[in-house]
Amino acid sequence: MGATNHHTLSALVENRPGVLSRVAGLFTRRGFNIDSLAVGPTERPDRSVITIRVDCTRHSVEQVVKQLYKLVDVIDVHEVLPESAIERELLLVKVQADAERRSEVMKLAELFDARVADVGQTSLLLECVEHPDRLAALEELLVPYGILEAIRTGRVAMTRSSAPEGESKTRLRVMG
Amino acid sequence: MSTPTETAVAAARARTGRMTGAEAIIRSLEAEGVDICWGIPGGAILPLYDAFMACDHTVEHVLVRHEQGAGHMAQGYARATGRVGVCIATSGPGATNLVTPIADAFLDSTPMVAITGQVPTHLIGTDAFQEADITGIVMPIVKHSFLVQRAEEIPTAMRAAFHIASSGRPGPVLVDIPKDLQLTEFDFSYPDEVELPGYDTDWITGVDQAAVDAAADLIARARKPVLYVGGGVINAEATDELILLAEALQVPVTTTLLAKGAFPDSHPLSVQMPGMHGSKYANWTMHRSDLLITIGARFDDRVTGKLDAFAPGAKIIHFDIDPAEISKNRTADVSLIGHLNETLPALRDAVLANRNDERIRHQIDWLNEVQGWRRENPFRYRRDGSTLKPEYVMEAFDKALRGKDAIWVTGVGQHQMWAAQYLTIDGPRRWITSGGLGTMGFGVPAAIGAQQACPDAYVVNIDGDGCFQMTMQELATARCYDVPAIHAVINNGWLGMVRQWQELFHDERYSETDLFGTIPDFVKLAESYGCLALRAETEAEADAVIAEAIAARRPTVIDFRVDREEKVYPMVPAGAASHEMLDETWENEWVEDGV
């Protein structure tokens, strides 16, 4: 049913125990592989947002959106289209850098707006909040120095206020 | 069983007062109009059972012998009435024994609320005695579930559970209640509504006229339309609307296994069941059709066969209540989400307003063609004069109960397919079978539940010897509560459907399917349960025992010793296109399209 592509879905859910497993379980059950998943509170304490990145066909993403809507704890689901959204991810990376190479690495960090979070005898710990593609670029440039450890949070995304209404959201009123 | 009156329910809803969580569960059941429920007590649900005895209330509790039985009885009740079926179990093994009926109710869209006890809150997560994370276990097979955290939440959880189970596309909801909360006192009041921001059913109401017009337009241009009807019509109580639509359109109507009775089998427009063991004419009709008017059906693989080859020239109209079914398996050209009892009349009006003589001429030719296939290719079997054919038993039962209010329940397997092929079901909620999950053992308990829902009906469970042995312990329940359903065991001494596949597709290697010689004497067994026990090995005996069983009005088991090797035909082998039907009995070859 067509070529697969990456899709970012944003689900507004009730902040209740078990919601994350319901959402994650649905992806497993319908045979989707989750690339990344981020969950966190919103401006309302009784609501959370789960941002899910999947690699699948257009037809499948429509199916999964419909299935997500059927979960009683899911209030709203939309696909975040990259061109009309801000997407960010946090990278923590520990790079080999003795005194000799420290400034070199710090210069590189500066270029990416990464912050030096910790300095060790032989390593630097950088933190960077950026578009995931930029994080990938930074990581690639750090490889030659020796990456000791790297973790990323999974992306979160928010549609720009300037995006035309309707364009950014696959809105579907669905229940089960 | 008498359904509580509106005033009784209103009074129950208005009740307030200080009470334990256990009593609150019972008051909630009363407020939902529940007259009967099924279950077994155990440690973590003991306070509820204590309250059943300690309080005055109007909820009858039926003690079953295995929690799976409680679940299927609740399903039988729900399918026979359209009301929510309620089953109760304790924590751990009690709850896990409900998993099969919950999954069954989920796949067949049956409204059900399962109430389970849970270990006390302070023990949750400690691997306590009889602790199982049942809300976690059932997550992919429930419409929703609640793990109640505070006693005060019991009324809202119960209200939400019944609302979710019975609205939209119905399904099972589980409410898990820790033991300590059942013992906690609080001030009870029952909410009219529960706020569920993620569950909105209001928008389904109403008809999108543009979609109706688009559907009517496709119909007006079709040469070979067919109504492809699923169980959604029964859940929507839209049988009358469907009949009016079909008669206005004058098109053939095929009803899936779950939809049997949604459109009368004996109606001249009916082409009965499609799919793996459906009629040749239903499958050919779908295959040659240029427009499937799909109503509350879901393009299940047992209907479509090889999906790519299914109804290759047909456009698709899809009416349903669940948007997730639209274009799931087959892309719809026109779709409409709504209540079928609203959308079907709208479609009928649009079609009648758009009369087109040319269309009618073409469609009459089509109807004649379909009816020709039907005349020449009925369901049929060969009688050999010596063995009792299972199909004969179906015909004999069908004849014996024609004109009476009969409810037919089945297990899963060959007997289920023969029943689907040979029984004439002319009304909704009179055919109760496990379709989606295909649960062997469904028959005995589901028949008991259906009979308790409809005490005056003649309930017949067409069962197999394999299925019967999975849940036959519920004969004790039938006897205790004098539930007169007839359990007709089509006994061929095999796990017959599996055997059929082994014969046809596994070179007759009958791996672990022969039950012969290990089957208990069903007559003696039924007698020991206090049931009327009968046996038939010939057609004459079959006629006689059927008459005796129908007249008896008491729990009855009939052991029909049928031809051991009879197979279900026609058959679409798994993975084949739906029009390529195997019918060894008659042609001994692949039967291609009828034309």
Side-chain angles (χ1 to χ4, degrees):
Chain A
M1 289 245 190
T4 68
N5 268 311
H6 287 283
H7 300 272
T8 305
L9 299 177
S10 176
L12 178 69
V13 302
E14 293 207 60
N15 183 9
R16 283 213 190 123
V19 175
L20 181 60
S21 2
R22 282 182 213 269
V23 170
L26 189 143
F27 280 84
T28 315
R29 169 163 174 255
R30 299 279 167 183
F32 290 91
N33 221 345
I34 297 178
D35 285 346
S36 90
L37 182 149
V39 58
T42 65
E43 74 283 1
R44 286 180 59 166
D46 58 341
R47 301 274 191 274
S48 301
V49 164
I50 302 178
T51 312
I52 308 138
R53 180 108 169 131
V54 283
D55 186 19
C56 62
T57 63
R58 159 75 21 214
H59 177 260
S60 310
V61 86
E62 283 165 16
Q63 267 305 307
V64 85
V65 167
K66 290 176 176 181
Q67 294 294 343
L68 280 170
Y69 260 114
K70 287 176 68 163
L71 297 178
V72 171
D73 289 334
V74 173
I75 297 161
D76 185 54
V77 186
H78 61 267
E79 184 178 354
V80 183
L81 302 178
E83 56 275 19
S84 52
I86 303 293
E87 296 179 90
R88 291 292 180 268
E89 197 166 341
L90 166 65
L91 166 74
L92 290 179
V93 58
K94 199 180 283 170
V95 196
Q96 224 157 22
D98 49 23
E100 217 171 282
R101 317 193 75 171
R102 196 173 288 152
S103 59
E104 216 176 304
V105 173
M106 282 169 69
K107 233 176 238 162
L108 200 55
E110 214 170 294
L111 281 176
F112 280 82
D113 286 329
R115 214 170 67 85
V116 177
D118 184 52
V119 183
Q121 288 290 336
T122 58
S123 69
L124 277 178
L125 200 167
L126 305 180
E127 65 169 68
C128 185
V129 175
E130 249 305 346
H131 189 281
D133 291 350
R134 295 256 304 160
L135 295 182
L138 171 60
E139 271 195 83
E140 211 179 300
L141 289 170
L142 290 173
V143 166
Y145 298 94
I147 292 178
L148 300 170
E149 243 185 286
I151 51 171
R152 289 161 68 157
T153 54
R155 80 176 65 191
V156 291
M158 192 176 277
T159 302
R160 298 169 196 268
S161 317
S162 54
E165 185 61 31
E167 184 197 84
S168 60
K169 293 189 174 189
T170 326
R171 259 195 189 281
L172 273 168
R173 303 280 294 163
V174 180
M175 55 76 50
Chain B
M1 200 50 41
S2 62
T3 310
T5 61
E6 272 179 40
T7 31
V9 171
R13 286 206 167 208
R15 178 191 282 267
T16 55
R18 197 151 182 87
M19 63 181 74
T20 62
E23 186 180 346
I25 298 169
I26 296 175
R27 299 302 168 211
S28 302
L29 292 174
E30 286 182 319
E32 293 297 337
V34 173
D35 51 357
I36 185 167
C37 59
W38 294 264
I40 307 184
I45 196 80
L46 251 173
L48 173 61
Y49 277 84
D50 190 54
F52 269 131
M53 202 164 195
C55 326
D56 278 335
H57 62 88
T58 56
V59 182
E60 183 184 4
H61 179 269
V62 175
L63 174 64
V64 303
R65 293 298 180 273
H66 185 289
E67 289 86 353
Q68 184 187 355
H72 292 322
M73 286 178 210
Q75 286 186 280
Y77 171 93
R79 296 271 291 272
T81 60
R83 295 156 57 82
V84 178
V86 179
C87 53
I88 302 174
T90 192
S91 63
T96 56
N97 279 344
L98 286 180
V99 168
T100 298
I102 289 171
D104 195 282
F106 186 68
L107 277 177
D108 285 351
S109 307
T110 308
M112 181 163 98
V113 169
I115 299 166
T116 49
Q118 181 53 276
V119 300
T121 42
H122 70 276
L123 289 179
I124 288 179
T126 66
D127 302 320
F129 178 64
Q130 292 194 329
E131 181 183 4
D133 171 15
I134 193 63
T135 50
I137 288 168
V138 299
M139 207 168 271
I141 53 166
V142 287
K143 198 169 164 188
H144 196 53
S145 60
F146 296 91
L147 170 53
V148 177
Q149 318 262 355
R150 295 180 310 125
E152 292 79 358
E153 289 173 12
I154 289 173
T156 45
M158 294 289 284
R159 179 75 276 269
F162 277 83
H163 173 61
I164 292 167
S166 60
S167 55
R169 180 178 181 171
V173 178
L174 181 128
V175 186
D176 197 25
I177 309 176
K179 183 175 186 176
D180 54 327
L181 306 187
Q182 297 170 43
L183 294 165
T184 305
E185 282 199 359
F186 70 102
D187 293 318
F188 174 89
S189 71
Y190 204 69
D192 280 335
E193 271 183 40
V194 175
E195 201 198 336
L196 295 164
Y199 185 80
D200 174 13
T201 52
D202 295 340
W203 70 277
I204 298 173
T205 305
V207 177
D208 174 1
Q209 195 55 44
V212 170
D213 291 342
D217 188 51
L218 278 185
I219 292 170
R221 286 187 279 135
R223 295 282 187 265
K224 300 180 171 187
V226 55
L227 274 161
Y228 160 35
V229 171
V233 170
I234 292 174
N235 279 334
E237 308 280 358
T239 292
D240 294 344
E241 290 81 356
L242 173 66
I243 294 171
L244 288 173
L245 173 66
E247 288 177 349
L249 288 172
Q250 287 295 312
V251 299
V253 181
T254 180
T255 43
T256 66
L257 182 65
L258 262 287
K260 201 170 161 66
F263 189 78
D265 276 335
S266 58
H267 194 289
L269 291 172
S270 173
V271 289
Q272 283 95 37
M273 182 171 78
M276 185 170 272
H277 292 293
S279 68
K280 290 178 196 172
Y281 41 91
N283 283 328
W284 292 340
T285 301
M286 299 267 255
H287 186 69
R288 306 279 291 195
S289 168
D290 63 357
L291 179 65
L292 304 190
I293 310 166
T294 312
I295 312 289
R298 61 183 178 89
F299 296 90
D300 175 72
D301 60 274
R302 284 301 191 260
V303 167
T304 63
K306 190 175 163 204
L307 193 58
D308 298 343
F310 175 68
K315 288 199 181 301
I316 307 292
I317 294 172
H318 199 165
F319 281 25
D320 208 289
I321 198 165
D322 180 0
E325 289 301 342
I326 306 299
S327 301
K328 181 180 80 178
N329 292 339
R330 174 75 180 253
T331 305
D333 297 283
V334 172
S335 66
L336 177 55
I337 300 304
H339 294 291
L340 295 175
N341 50 11
E342 292 178 348
T343 55
L344 296 185
L347 179 59
R348 178 172 172 267
D349 291 345
V351 170
L352 289 177
N354 196 359
R355 279 191 77 86
N356 168 334
D357 289 342
E358 198 199 339
R359 165 184 82 82
I360 291 170
R361 215 168 35 249
H362 281 295
Q363 293 182 359
I364 286 174
D365 288 348
W366 163 241
L367 191 60
N368 286 337
E369 193 178 8
V370 168
Q371 287 181 334
W373 296 336
R374 178 174 155 171
R375 267 191 311 278
E376 284 152 32
N377 297 275
F379 288 117
R380 53 190 175 169
Y381 63 101
R382 281 190 211 280
R383 289 156 75 176
D384 59 17
S386 57
T387 58
L388 175 60
K389 294 290 183 181
E391 298 95 330
Y392 180 86
V393 178
M394 305 304 154
E395 288 182 329
F397 259 118
D398 193 51
K399 210 159 49 177
L401 284 170
R402 189 67 63 83
K404 291 197 163 74
D405 181 19
I407 299 178
W408 305 91
V409 183
T410 79
V412 169
Q414 287 183 309
H415 64 279
Q416 176 191 32
M417 292 297 113
W418 286 314
Q421 292 178 340
Y422 288 91
L423 295 176
T424 312
I425 314 288
D426 280 341
R429 307 201 176 284
R430 289 302 176 258
W431 165 257
I432 299 171
T433 196
S434 167
L437 194 66
T439 305
M440 287 177 67
F442 179 83
V444 174
I448 292 171
Q451 181 77 80
Q452 289 182 302
C454 306
D456 298 329
Y458 291 87
V459 177
V460 181
N461 164 33
I462 303 286
D463 221 342
D465 50 285
C467 288
F468 184 68
Q469 290 185 82
M470 290 193 179
T471 48
M472 63 190 180
Q473 77 284 345
E474 299 307 338
L475 290 178
T477 310
R479 178 67 193 85
C480 283
Y481 295 84
D482 282 324
V483 185
I486 298 166
H487 305 278
V489 184
I490 306 304
N491 182 357
N492 60 9
W494 290 102
L495 297 171
M497 187 58 91
V498 183
R499 181 205 176 275
Q500 175 164 341
W501 283 55
Q502 290 171 332
E503 179 179 334
L504 298 174
F505 312 120
H506 296 271
D507 297 327
E508 304 184 28
R509 285 187 301 276
Y510 298 119
S511 176
E512 304 289 4
T513 44
D514 192 354
L515 306 177
F516 198 72
T518 62
I519 293 179
D521 181 328
F522 287 141
V523 168
K524 283 186 186 157
L525 180 118
E527 277 170 354
S528 77
Y529 276 111
C531 299
L532 173 62
L534 303 167
R535 175 169 290 137
E537 297 181 54
T538 64
E539 292 181 0
E541 287 172 8
D543 292 341
V545 296
I546 287 170
E548 187 182 347
I550 289 170
R553 298 306 279 163
R554 54 178 280 215
T556 301
V557 174
I558 310 176
D559 181 20
F560 288 101
R561 299 287 183 90
V562 298
D563 181 354
R564 294 203 68 209
E565 311 213 325
E566 187 69 4
K567 286 182 285 295
V568 183
Y569 287 120
M571 175 178 196
V572 180
S578 66
H579 65 296
E580 299 170 329
M581 305 195 76
L582 197 59
D583 189 351
E584 200 181 57
T585 323
W586 296 92
E587 282 90 359
N588 203 22
E589 60 187 23
W590 293 86
V591 184
E592 278 294 326
D593 207 307
V595 196

